[in-house]
Amino acid sequence: MSPVRASCIAGLGHYAPERRVENTEIESQLGLETGWIERRTGIRARRWAAEGELLTDLAAPAGAAAVSDANISRGDIALTILATSTPDHLLPPSAPLLAHHLGLSNSGAIDLAGACSGFIYALTLADGFVRTQCKPVLVVAANILSRRINPAERASAVLFADAAGAVVLVPSDDTEMGLLGVDLASDGSHYDLISIPSGGSKQPFDPGMAASEALMTMRDGQEMFLQAVNGMTHCAKRALAAAGLNSADISRFVPHQANARIFDVVGEDVGIEPGRIVHTIAEYGNSSAATIPLSLSLSRQASPFVSGEKLLLAAAGAGLIGGALVWGI
């Protein structure tokens, strides 16, 4: 078996829970004036999972849609990568259950915990597998962050949402398609800017601990904003350079939907005007790793991709980890 020269996106899919939560509900709980959230984040509403709805319940319909869209047999999928920060359980991983639900009988399966940048990392790893093994890969990014929100903490309570997005990669010999340039980065000196304090080996769950210890906290929202802008900008510029392209070559910039102000600033710094930036944050909020594949699927619905398009994807988040890649359609 000889390695192929490229991978390509053969299928896309997404899923968002039915419950739509408008800003007024959260603004009322936090004592904020009407319109405060949208002015500062660009979010008008977000989707939250129903009681009893699991992470794999979100991931499965997104994955099924992507496999169906790719028009390949489920038995052809050789690897399933699930990018999530909110698995069904800490142990075992959720990806094997997802593959089982989808009937992917010949697929390996693994969770990838990359926070908001998880899809960028998963797509990069999936591309390498497709190139070397010449077999299709399903990448799903999904999160249920509504259950990790501290309703009393304004910085995080206004942002986070639940959703799933998925892509299927297949082998290709067209070197103008697939991963053209990538840049990945991390900075552990800002490790605790966003965290869930308990549940790991440092602070295991304890029956006597405060409920807030199991919820997300954002230590410094303004610093997180600055780090996200800097990280996404630098990675995007380096990914473009690695691809031998410039900002004028990009047809769509699909950023992680963390905050509309973040990706508007990144777009300006990279040289991409607002008309080429894909926005889904207004209706879907910030579902961490899921926002980019969700946005890819929604963007294609609104305006189908054309052969030869070049996409720029970028993200940054907890860890801190970030990355950007250029993808050819």
Side-chain angles (χ1 to χ4, degrees), residues 11-15 61-67 69 139 164-168 293-294 297-298 300:
L12 287 163
H14 70 274
Y15 174 81
V67 174
D69 187 44
V139 177
V167 303
V168 170
L294 172 76
S297 185
L298 290 169
R300 189 192 61 171

Side-chain angles (χ1 to χ4, degrees), residues 197-223:
S198 65
S201 61
K202 180 177 180 179
Q203 188 174 330
F205 288 125
D206 183 280
M209 69 173 43
S212 61
E213 290 296 302
L215 301 176
M216 188 185 312
T217 184
M218 187 180 300
R219 181 172 58 79
D220 187 334
Q222 183 60 33
E223 181 64 19

Side-chain angles (χ1 to χ4, degrees), residues 176-194:
E176 294 299 311
M177 302 180 74
L179 186 61
L180 304 179
V182 61
D183 186 79
L184 305 175
S186 69
D187 183 357
S189 68
H190 296 286
Y191 183 76
D192 65 343
L193 276 178
I194 301 178

